[in-house]
Amino acid sequence: MLALLSAPPKIDATFFSDDHSYWYTVEKQSENIFGPIAAPRESHAAKKTFRLTVPLIAKTLDLKRKGIYLLQVTTFFVMLGMGISLARRITSESKVSSLFMASMIPLYTILSSYHEATGHLDAFAYSFLFGAMYFRHPLQVFFACFLASWCDERAFLATSFIFMWWFLQDENANRLRVPSFSAYPDSRAVAVCLSGLSYIALRFLLTFYTPLSLEMGRADLLLVKEYTSFVPLLTYSTFGALWAVILTAGLLLIRQNRPLLLLFLIIPFLLQAIVACMVWDFTRSLSFAFPLLFLSLFIVKDYFNTETIKIGLCVIFLLSLISPVIFFDSQITNVHSIWHIGFDKLIKVVTK
């Protein structure tokens, strides 16, 4: 209900027409997984060349456009269930975990599961990343990261957060303050690394032995210069009021003199931010860094008692209800909040 109030879906039949080349591209890929994509190299369709997980699922299940979308809708419940379980695993408190995930519902990460109906298919990548943190067996973690990487290159970058998630499960690693090689990483962290190496190796093989190839011109770089004035608002919109958890975790690491751990969290985020600056869809790109939210909660829970965290999340939840949810392409295409108080007009005034 909160999700529907926060950003009710605006879907019509035209979303599934050939006018939206994303669906057309996915459909053609599912018909011929390793066939070349007939699209200009600067187009969004061309960037889907190596995003093969969803086309492979569609081919296996014999799904067309609307079938893929309906499958995408199910990821809402998958992400919500896994997210609550992960937060409960961190805090050992059901109310805290529910508040945390309720605060995440208005974010694009979760809303993309049903609100996005034009064939971007980000929700599949997000759900596999959730799975990579949720599953406990190394093989499950490996395949979750592997499938996420083949959904989107930004998901491949996001697996660095998954590595940190499992690395910190080891008590010795969690307390590291200086560089040390005495603590061996968790086997799940090793699985993440092997998944990344496998993805890179297989991608090179496909480039050499199949018609698949991806070329990008300089015109594709740093599109952020076209919408610089919107960047602060877009950055805030990515995680909304939950930025408070991330910033609190960062301040605690500085205060506790844990620069190495802080650096290992900042670098992956900066990589995601740089990629986001290269494309029009800034919010969608930066949303791939959502595992940082769970890492931050993992850090914060060591320094505050359950009641304090609960009060903080109550405030964050209330703020999330009035925070704008912005999906950004070449212009601000969607601005939503649970209260319809004209955020779109406010944004235009502020950014003039």
Side-chain angles (χ1 to χ4, degrees):
M1 179 61 70
L2 175 62
L4 292 174
L5 288 172
S6 180
K10 296 180 179 179
I11 301 169
D12 58 54
T14 61
F15 284 1
F16 300 99
S17 69
D18 284 348
D19 293 336
H20 288 270
S21 62
Y22 315 136
W23 282 118
Y24 177 80
T25 302
V26 172
E27 195 171 67
K28 289 300 179 184
Q29 282 180 301
S30 66
E31 295 171 359
N32 184 6
I33 297 296
F34 301 115
I37 294 178
R41 72 175 188 174
E42 68 275 3
S43 67
H44 187 280
K47 296 180 177 67
K48 285 183 170 287
T49 299
F50 288 99
R51 300 174 187 179
L52 302 176
T53 297
V54 177
L56 187 59
I57 292 173
K59 185 178 182 67
T60 303
L61 300 179
D62 192 27
L63 298 176
K64 300 303 180 184
R65 303 176 191 192
K66 293 181 180 179
I68 296 172
Y69 171 73
L70 290 176
L71 183 62
Q72 176 184 277
V73 171
T74 66
T75 65
F76 173 85
F77 304 100
V78 171
M79 289 189 283
L80 195 61
M82 287 182 175
I84 291 174
S85 179
L86 284 168
R88 187 184 300 119
R89 194 186 301 174
I90 294 170
T91 63
S92 302
E93 172 60 50
S94 58
K95 290 182 180 179
V96 170
S97 60
S98 297
L99 278 171
F100 184 76
M101 280 310 296
S103 301
M104 279 193 69
I105 284 177
L107 305 183
Y108 177 80
T109 302
I110 305 298
L111 296 183
S112 63
S113 58
Y114 70 88
H115 196 287
E116 206 299 299
T118 57
H120 284 101
L121 307 175
D122 302 309
F124 287 96
Y126 299 151
S127 60
F128 284 124
L129 290 172
F130 265 102
M133 293 188 290
Y134 174 79
F135 296 125
R136 296 176 183 268
H137 195 281
L139 278 178
Q140 293 174 315
V141 174
F142 174 91
F143 282 112
C145 289
F146 192 69
L147 291 172
S149 298
W150 289 102
C151 284
D152 196 295
E153 292 81 0
R154 291 165 288 196
F156 168 68
L157 291 178
T159 58
S160 56
F161 290 113
I162 309 301
F163 171 83
M164 288 304 302
W165 167 259
W166 288 115
F167 186 77
L168 291 179
Q169 302 308 303
D170 177 63
E171 183 66 16
N172 292 324
N174 188 30
R175 303 304 177 189
L176 282 179
R177 297 173 185 273
V178 295
S180 172
F181 298 98
S182 60
Y184 292 98
D186 187 280
S187 59
R188 280 75 59 97
V190 175
V192 176
C193 293
L194 293 176
S195 171
L197 292 173
S198 300
Y199 169 77
I200 293 171
L202 184 55
R203 181 153 172 165
F204 271 112
L205 288 174
L206 290 177
T207 300
F208 284 110
Y209 296 105
T210 71
L212 299 179
S213 64
L214 180 61
E215 298 180 7
M216 294 179 64
R218 292 183 63 184
D220 297 305
L221 301 179
L222 296 179
L223 292 175
V224 68
K225 63 181 182 292
E226 302 293 334
Y227 55 87
T228 305
S229 60
F230 290 104
V231 170
L233 184 60
L234 294 170
T235 303
Y236 171 78
S237 175
T238 303
F239 298 133
L242 282 167
W243 274 109
V245 179
I246 297 175
L247 295 176
T248 300
L251 290 173
L252 287 171
L253 292 179
I254 293 172
R255 183 179 177 182
Q256 296 296 321
N257 192 27
R258 301 173 71 182
L260 185 62
L261 178 54
L262 181 62
L263 187 64
F264 284 168
L265 296 178
I266 288 176
I267 291 176
F269 178 79
L270 287 179
L271 289 175
Q272 292 287 354
I274 290 171
V275 172
C277 289
M278 295 180 180
V279 296
W280 285 115
D281 43 5
F282 185 95
T283 305
R284 288 180 52 240
S285 295
L286 199 57
S287 292
F288 281 91
F290 79 86
L292 181 59
L293 292 172
F294 291 91
L295 283 164
S296 299
L297 183 63
F298 185 85
I299 293 167
V300 167
K301 59 92 178 177
D302 281 339
Y303 299 96
F304 297 99
N305 60 45
T306 301
E307 284 304 313
T308 302
I309 294 175
K310 192 182 299 182
I311 293 171
L313 285 176
C314 281
V315 175
I316 289 171
F317 170 68
L318 292 174
L319 289 174
S320 72
L321 298 182
I322 58 172
S323 296
V325 180
I326 304 171
F327 313 152
F328 188 78
D329 292 319
S330 58
Q331 56 184 343
I332 290 189
T333 54
N334 293 285
V335 180
H336 298 287
S337 66
I338 198 167
W339 310 115
H340 301 286
I341 59 176
F343 273 111
D344 53 339
K345 296 178 181 178
L346 175 62
I347 290 167
K348 291 177 181 177
V349 172
V350 171
T351 55
K352 277 186 178 180

